[in-house]
Structure formats: C-alpha cells, structure tokens
Amino acid sequence: MDDHIFLSYSNNVQRTLPPKNRKHPEYESKGFQYRELVPETIGSDNLREAVKLPPGVDINEWLAMNTVDFYKQISLLYATLEEFCTPTTCPVMNVGRYEYRWADGITVIEPKMVSAPEYVECLMNWIETQIDNEIIFPKNPGEPFPSNFEDFVKRILRKMFRVYAHIYYSHFIKIVTLNEHAHLNTCFKHFLLFVSEFQLVDKEEMAPIKDLVETVLKP
C-alpha cells in the first residue's frame, strides 16, 4: 500500500482528495504575498528544451538520470531547512489542509501520520534504497530496466513533489530570508517541466499548490 493524502477538517474527520476545482483558502492566503518572488529563477531560460528526450537516448536512461539528479537537488534544498522544519514547527507533513501519511508498502504497510521532518527522512531513505537497487536502477551500460520502470519513477517523483509543496507552503518565507528563493524556484521549475513533459505526476497530486504550479509553468 502506498502512502495517502488526507484532507483534514476541524471535526478531525479524515477524507481523501477533495473534488476537482475545490478552493484552498489557506494556500491562497498564505504565500502568496510572495507571489512576485516565485518567477525569479537562475539561468533557467533553456529549461523547457533541456527536459526533452535527446535524440538517440533511451527513455529509461533519461528518466533514471533525471530522477537521480532531482533526488540530489531536493536533498540539498531540504537540508538548508532542517533546523526550521522540526517536529515542533511541522508536527504533520502537510500542505495546508492536505496531509500526507507515510507508508512504503514494505516495512510500513498502513499509512501513518508523522511529522514533516520524519516524513522527509523516511522518503529520502526510501528513494536512496530504490536508486541503489540495481534491479530497478541498473548501474552498468546495456543492462535492462524493469518493464515497469516508469511506475517506479512516477512513485518517486510523486512523493518528491510533496516535499517541494511543503517547502513552498510552510517555509517559503524562510527561503526568502535565506535568499535561496531563486535557486528553489529554478529547481522546482526544472522538476515541473520534466514531470509535465513525460506526464509523471498527476494533476490531482498537484492540487494543493495548483496556482503555484500554473504560475511556474506559464510560458
């Protein structure tokens, strides 16, 4: 079983993803007094072309290489926030009313509520385990990828998106204070353009920060 997204209400009832087009007032009011800072990126003019599959390159090789790169990027970005994203400041892994519960389907079967730092730590360890598994990510040239390799990539990138969403929702003010917002925006734009190019993260998964996604992807 994979982890799940829950929508929390004041009466503590938990429900799954809300209907499409539902408004998210917390998101719209929290963040986006910083809306003018979101488009600021570093040297990202060619990102739309950079994500496209190069001629003659195997699609699985391209997915694998970029997945590993995105993992390194998000690891470094989150590391700058570890002292600010704590079990006290972020007792739940959430983006506004959307809550993410952790499960890896192996050691943790039933999705459980954890703090944001615990969720991210579990996620990074899990991604590293996936990447180090040579059956999933073959290391030697010419070795075959599993027939369902894209499914592994989708699951990794879907979970990775949640870390970006949490950073923007809960920690963007701190990112601006640290003067790291241009770098964050560049990494996120690269990530979004790539997953959009190959349809690797569903629109429903992006719903908690739908407005931000649309702003970043705007030509």
Side-chain angles (χ1 to χ4, degrees):
M1 181 183 294
D2 198 358
D3 53 349
H4 288 287
I5 306 173
F6 293 83
L7 185 63
S8 60
Y9 295 86
S10 58
N11 62 0
N12 294 321
V13 174
Q14 301 288 347
R15 296 181 64 185
T16 54
L17 272 171
K20 292 182 179 180
N21 301 321
R22 185 185 184 96
K23 298 296 183 182
H24 309 292
E26 298 102 324
Y27 173 79
E28 292 169 355
S29 61
K30 192 177 179 174
F32 292 132
Q33 67 261 41
Y34 296 97
R35 189 181 301 276
E36 71 276 8
L37 296 173
V38 170
E40 187 175 332
T41 56
I42 301 173
S44 60
D45 293 345
N46 298 320
L47 286 178
R48 290 184 187 276
E49 290 301 316
V51 300
K52 296 183 183 299
L53 180 67
V57 174
D58 178 75
I59 180 61
N60 286 332
E61 292 281 2
W62 189 239
L63 294 178
M65 183 187 76
N66 281 277
T67 298
V68 172
D69 285 346
F70 290 135
Y71 164 68
K72 292 176 181 177
Q73 288 175 11
I74 195 64
S75 297
L76 291 172
L77 283 167
Y78 184 77
T80 67
L81 292 170
E82 285 182 334
E83 65 180 296
F84 310 108
C85 185
T86 69
T88 301
T89 62
C90 303
V92 176
M93 178 60 177
N94 74 315
V95 181
R97 293 162 65 186
Y98 287 86
E99 297 177 356
Y100 303 111
R101 297 184 180 185
W102 177 254
D104 60 12
I106 300 174
T107 59
V108 182
I109 304 298
E110 189 67 25
K112 65 177 183 177
M113 185 179 294
V114 295
S115 67
E118 184 178 353
Y119 185 99
V120 175
E121 181 180 7
C122 290
L123 174 58
M124 297 306 175
N125 290 337
W126 175 79
I127 293 175
E128 187 172 357
T129 299
Q130 301 294 296
I131 291 172
D132 287 344
N133 186 338
E134 295 192 22
I135 296 176
I136 302 173
F137 283 79
K139 301 297 185 289
N140 298 319
E143 288 185 338
F145 286 85
S147 59
N148 60 339
F149 180 66
E150 185 175 308
D151 293 335
F152 285 102
V153 169
K154 284 181 175 180
R155 190 178 180 207
I156 291 171
L157 297 181
R158 181 175 74 246
K159 293 173 184 288
M160 208 179 288
F161 175 86
R162 298 172 182 178
V163 181
Y164 273 116
H166 178 74
I167 290 175
Y168 273 103
Y169 185 85
S170 298
H171 302 294
F172 191 62
I173 295 174
K174 179 56 66 175
I175 288 286
V176 173
T177 303
L178 296 171
N179 199 29
E180 294 180 354
H181 56 282
H183 181 61
L184 170 65
N185 293 339
T186 300
C187 291
F188 187 50
K189 183 173 185 177
H190 187 191
F191 176 88
L192 278 183
L193 287 170
F194 186 83
V195 300
S196 298
E197 174 74 13
F198 299 100
Q199 300 181 344
L200 298 170
V201 178
D202 294 338
K203 288 183 178 180
E204 280 191 346
E205 182 69 35
M206 298 184 183
I209 55 170
K210 177 178 178 289
D211 290 347
L212 175 60
V213 169
E214 290 176 351
T215 298
V216 173
L217 290 179
K218 190 178 299 181

